[in-house]
Amino acid sequence: MSRSLVFGTAAGLALLLAAGGLLYSFGPDERRARAAPAPPDKTDTSGVYSQRAPSRNGIGKVYMGREISKVMGHRGANWLERPARAEKERPDLLVDSLPLGPSDTVADIGAGTGYLSFRVAPRVPQGNILAVDIQPEMLNMMRERIDERGVDNVTPIRGTVTDPQLPADSVDLAYMVDAYHEFSHPYEMMTALMEDLTPGGRVVLVEYPREDPSIPIKTLHKMTEAQAKKEMRAVGLEWVETKDMLPRQHFMVFRKPVE
């Protein structure tokens, strides 16, 4: 199934980068982002979800035993760019650990303001960063930063809640940082992404560990490694490894099989 690249006005996947306004506050420099309401669920035709009364931080939609969390809206953009993020979450270690080649095509799914896209871009000087989001406000912010910084290998892409809108068989690496747990349609999104990956293409999932109660993040904004493996396996992705170099996040690597 082929899909064309969308260079629309902007976007921001119901999956945004970070657990924004649903985090507990860590200090005055880490502002609490406001939670956006869950989008109307009019596109679920998979039959893989169930419904229940929403919990305080969830949308009441359950996938493989996990209630999907609420989404951070564009009003949380300042939280994504907070100075304390560099020290407390070590995005430098994250970027250094991504399996990248200089000419790779990389998808930043739930790119938000492009916080990580701009950090990954120098690592693929002959490649491209496809920065996917479904919120127009987020991608408008990203476009402003692209112009300000003169970056020529970051392309904002408007996705949907069920499809990142990327070219089929084109993506060498896709990463999602504190985002996947907010996808309103995780099965459809990952099924679509599987078509976009090249054979052997990688998916890196970075999430706060639900196994660790000391991490001050609300429960629905965490994922266990076992749950992540189960959900990725459901769409055909193979687990490769889990790295523990980040201060308070899982770094999980999956791979599309080579047929």
Side-chain angles (χ1 to χ4, degrees):
M1 172 182 177
S2 63
R3 287 188 298 276
S4 58
L5 202 60
V6 175
F7 298 99
T9 50
L13 286 174
L15 25 97
L16 294 195
L17 178 90
L22 309 155
L23 291 174
Y24 292 110
S25 177
F26 298 121
D29 59 339
E30 291 180 326
R31 300 171 56 189
R32 297 182 68 180
R34 294 174 57 185
D41 189 2
K42 298 179 180 179
T43 54
D44 174 19
T45 58
S46 66
V48 299
Y49 306 107
S50 59
Q51 293 289 148
R52 68 186 184 198
S55 62
R56 182 176 180 181
N57 299 297
I59 64 173
K61 185 175 181 179
V62 179
Y63 178 54
M64 303 190 78
R66 174 183 64 89
E67 184 182 3
I68 296 168
S69 73
K70 291 179 181 177
V71 176
M72 188 193 73
H74 66 275
R75 293 181 180 87
N78 287 340
W79 186 86
L80 297 178
E81 298 284 341
R82 68 197 185 282
R85 184 176 181 181
E87 177 184 354
K88 293 192 174 184
E89 296 188 357
R90 296 298 306 272
D92 58 322
L93 291 179
L94 192 161
V95 172
D96 287 345
S97 299
L98 292 173
L100 293 169
S103 60
D104 281 352
T105 295
V106 181
D108 182 347
I109 309 292
T113 59
Y115 180 86
L116 285 171
S117 295
F118 294 119
R119 286 163 170 77
V120 175
R123 295 282 306 280
V124 288
Q126 290 84 49
N128 296 286
I129 307 294
L130 307 178
V132 180
D133 215 279
I134 61 172
Q135 293 189 73
E137 298 87 350
M138 285 291 194
L139 291 192
N140 283 337
M141 293 177 201
M142 194 187 307
R143 288 190 179 90
E144 292 177 1
R145 288 172 168 82
I146 289 172
D147 291 341
E148 290 169 359
R149 302 176 188 190
V151 178
D152 61 5
N153 65 338
V154 175
T155 302
I157 304 292
R158 183 168 188 169
T160 74
V161 296
T162 59
D163 193 328
Q165 297 292 328
L166 301 173
D169 196 31
S170 68
V171 176
D172 300 297
L173 171 71
Y175 62 86
M176 290 156 275
V177 178
D178 302 331
Y180 174 78
H181 66 270
E182 295 183 353
F183 288 15
S184 63
H185 296 74
Y187 179 79
E188 293 88 344
M189 274 294 302
M190 297 309 298
T191 298
L193 183 58
M194 275 287 283
E195 297 179 5
D196 303 332
L197 291 169
T198 58
R202 304 295 178 100
V203 169
V204 171
L205 197 62
V206 178
E207 291 282 352
Y208 292 104
R210 196 163 180 169
E211 300 94 330
D212 188 350
S214 71
I215 301 294
I217 304 295
K218 294 184 178 180
T219 301
L220 292 188
H221 294 272
K222 298 180 178 183
M223 285 191 72
T224 66
E225 182 181 8
Q227 182 71 27
K229 287 180 178 179
K230 179 168 67 173
E231 296 187 23
M232 297 301 104
R233 187 167 57 246
V235 298
L237 285 166
E238 302 172 341
W239 175 76
V240 176
E241 63 179 335
T242 298
K243 297 182 179 182
D244 296 318
M245 75 290 177
L246 298 178
R248 54 187 184 187
Q249 291 157 302
H250 284 311
F251 184 102
M252 299 169 283
V253 183
F254 301 86
R255 175 176 55 207
K256 179 178 179 175
V258 177
E259 297 178 358

